[in-house]
Amino acid sequence: MTTPASTQIIEIDLDALADVTGRIAVLIGKDGKLDSGARRVNKLTKGALARMIEAGTLEDMKSGDVKTLAWPTGLKAEAVDILCVERGAKEVEARKAGASLGKLLDKKGMTVLAAQIRRPVDLMMGIALRAYSFTARKTGDQKAVGEVTLMVSKPDEIEVEAEAARAVVEGVFFTRDLVSEPANHLTTTEFAKRIKDMEKLGLKITVLEEDKLESLGMGCLLCVGLGSASPTKVAVMEWMGGAKGDAPLALVGKGVVFDTGGISLKPAAGMEDMTMDMGGAGVVAGVMRTLALRKAKGNVVGLVGLVENMPSERATRPGDVVTSMKGDTVEVINTDAEGRLVLADVMWYAQENYKPRAMIDLATLTGAIIVGLGHENAGVFSNDDTLTRDFLKAAEAEGEGAWRMPMGQAYDDELKSQIADMKNVGGRPGGSITAAQFLKRFVQEDMPWMHLDIAGVASVKSDTAYAPKGATGWGVMALNRLVADMLEGD
Ligand code: BES
Ligand code: MN
Ligand code: ZN
């Protein structure tokens, strides 16, 4: 797995600054006041910082902007990065400012003079989140990032918070790696193996194989994988850190390791992007990793349907009718609307087996959600206003975009089939909503449920605040916070 930059928090040591190697980061607010660390750097560089401020440089800088002083006189460091950020910056702002530094982190490491800022841990988290690159499939010497040293005034007081932040970053990186992996490497078997490896973190892992899925009657899930040489699997991750007997929160993820569309084959252009179609499962696995790493005091179970959607002589045909674990029959009009088939059975299994207090599913489900919301927000669909409110609040606090979408009977009507209980597609209009309506048919009565369509946010073509272009890990932070708010009190 891509290991996050190692981060250490130490007491500020001004006398050490002259000999620090790598980069030194100095934080300055709009008022241009230098803190003790900045004053020392200024002195050592013979007034370079003061000259920069006097020249009015800060005037056209906004929070998160960085100006770099390269090869400064008087220091061993290769660069001084002057980051514009207010002392009192809130979580997301501090994180995003940190991310600007993370972008500059190289193998020689960075020392951050963070004695004044009120949220040094968020700054640190931003640095670590942004300093990501997926190099597992490249040969040659890959540049690993160096160590990040935060100099603060009272290191001991923030170490607990820092540990939790490190757990989050590791969960996010785990998700990004999974999403970045090509499908010949991340097969269903390999995905299950990586999940199984998390047993050593204290998670209880069960992998259900095809014969078991058949005996459970998961005809919807299984029909998706019929055309593939890779076996369909369901992996279950249990983290029971809460009170014994408390109903868990269930997280369910779509894990289509590659989506060709099946017999309803996708066009060639851009098909390679469908390596990310396991993004929902990737987020579920990442959240479970974070919860285990930080030993969360709540009960959460993660379930992912791992399957590959390929065309072959054994593949499901358009027009085939399959029977779900619930017992309802589905006419598969379009084999490319496979995610909902995967989720239907895994969600049903989650409810039957765990009687969860609430269920959240995540999936790169529809292209239509990208048309609607672009790459800034995931689509949120729910039957429960409280769960939705709590989630939207958590997502906002973490700086992860999410926007609620409508549902309703009229959309559900689009799923009527001539020959089965339902079709797997509605028409083009409101495609993300009819997909959500399909899922809702597999939600049991009174079950608080939320569906997150992450097709637009799981992997993106340009840099985001927290990540370079590619896999984002969207949702790990928001769900981790939701678990903390919902199950762990404070
Ligand atoms: N995996 C796709 C959705 C998707 C599209 C994810 C683009 C990420 C980027 C999904 O399985 C799919 O193919 N959906 C179809 C549904 C349609 C056939 C009703 C779609 O969105 O076109
Ligand atoms: Mn598809
Ligand atoms: Zn898909």
Side-chain angles (χ1 to χ4, degrees), residues 218-283:
M218 295 201 187
C220 280
L221 167 66
L222 285 166
C223 89
V224 174
L226 289 179
S228 169
S230 292
T232 298
K233 294 168 193 274
V234 170
V236 184
M237 299 156 260
E238 289 177 37
W239 177 258
M240 298 297 180
K244 227 181 146 187
D246 270 8
L249 168 68
L251 304 177
V252 177
K254 167 181 173 182
V256 175
V257 295
F258 196 76
D259 181 12
T260 64
I263 298 298
S264 313
L265 194 64
K266 286 182 182 296
M271 201 202 273
E272 68 280 7
D273 290 343
M274 286 302 117
T275 55
M276 54 75 101
D277 209 22
M278 33 53 66
V283 173

Side-chain angles (χ1 to χ4, degrees), residues 292-306:
L293 284 169
R294 70 173 183 80
K295 303 204 169 16
K297 292 185 180 57
N299 296 341
V300 183
V301 54
L303 305 98
V304 293
L306 307 176

Side-chain angles (χ1 to χ4, degrees), residues 114-126:
Q116 294 297 318
I117 192 161
R118 224 165 282 156
R119 309 203 62 93
V121 175
D122 286 295
L123 190 86
M124 176 194 98
M125 195 171 160

Side-chain angles (χ1 to χ4, degrees), residues 370 373-379 399-403 456-457 460 462-464 474:
I370 311 176
L373 299 177
H375 300 286
E376 300 303 314
N377 287 284
E400 294 182 318
W403 195 261
V457 295
V460 296
S462 47
D463 293 4
T464 63
W474 182 99

Side-chain angles (χ1 to χ4, degrees), residues 229-451:
S230 292
T232 298
K233 294 168 193 274
V234 170
V236 184
M237 299 156 260
E238 289 177 37
W239 177 258
M240 298 297 180
K244 227 181 146 187
D246 270 8
L249 168 68
L251 304 177
V252 177
K254 167 181 173 182
V256 175
V257 295
F258 196 76
D259 181 12
T260 64
I263 298 298
S264 313
L265 194 64
K266 286 182 182 296
M271 201 202 273
E272 68 280 7
D273 290 343
M274 286 302 117
T275 55
M276 54 75 101
D277 209 22
M278 33 53 66
V283 173
V284 172
V287 174
M288 297 310 294
R289 190 178 189 96
T290 292
L291 297 178
L293 284 169
R294 70 173 183 80
K295 303 204 169 16
K297 292 185 180 57
N299 296 341
V300 183
V301 54
L303 305 98
V304 293
L306 307 176
V307 59
E308 186 177 39
N309 189 18
M310 295 284 266
S312 87
E313 81 282 6
R314 305 211 317 199
T316 297
R317 293 158 286 255
D320 283 359
V321 174
V322 294
T323 305
S324 64
M325 181 182 174
K326 179 188 176 191
D328 290 355
T329 58
V330 179
E331 184 186 6
V332 181
I333 297 292
N334 189 323
T335 63
D336 197 13
E338 84 296 343
R340 61 199 76 182
L341 298 172
V342 173
L343 290 172
D345 280 338
V346 183
M347 280 165 51
W348 195 258
Y349 177 82
Q351 295 166 95
E352 290 285 296
N353 257 264
Y354 291 96
K355 303 275 170 250
R357 55 180 285 163
M359 176 169 65
I360 300 173
D361 77 80
L362 294 103
T364 48
L365 202 64
T366 65
I369 201 69
I370 311 176
V371 176
L373 299 177
H375 300 286
E376 300 303 314
N377 287 284
V380 179
F381 302 82
S382 181
N383 61 3
D384 190 281
D385 293 345
T386 312
L387 180 61
T388 306
R389 179 175 30 82
D390 291 351
F391 178 74
L392 291 175
K393 207 177 107 209
E396 188 177 359
E398 298 289 338
E400 294 182 318
W403 195 261
R404 190 174 190 178
M405 301 286 288
M407 296 189 70
Q409 186 58 45
Y411 299 104
D412 185 80
D413 292 343
E414 298 296 314
L415 300 170
K416 278 202 186 105
S417 160
Q418 285 279 330
I419 65 159
D421 297 334
M422 70 195 88
K423 299 188 293 188
N424 75 330
V425 289
R428 263 173 62 83
S432 306
I433 311 176
T434 49
Q437 293 293 157
F438 181 93
L439 297 179
K440 187 164 180 284
R441 288 176 174 232
F442 298 89
V443 176
Q444 295 177 358
E445 195 145 328
D446 297 328
M447 175 61 60
W449 160 75
M450 185 168 68
H451 156 58

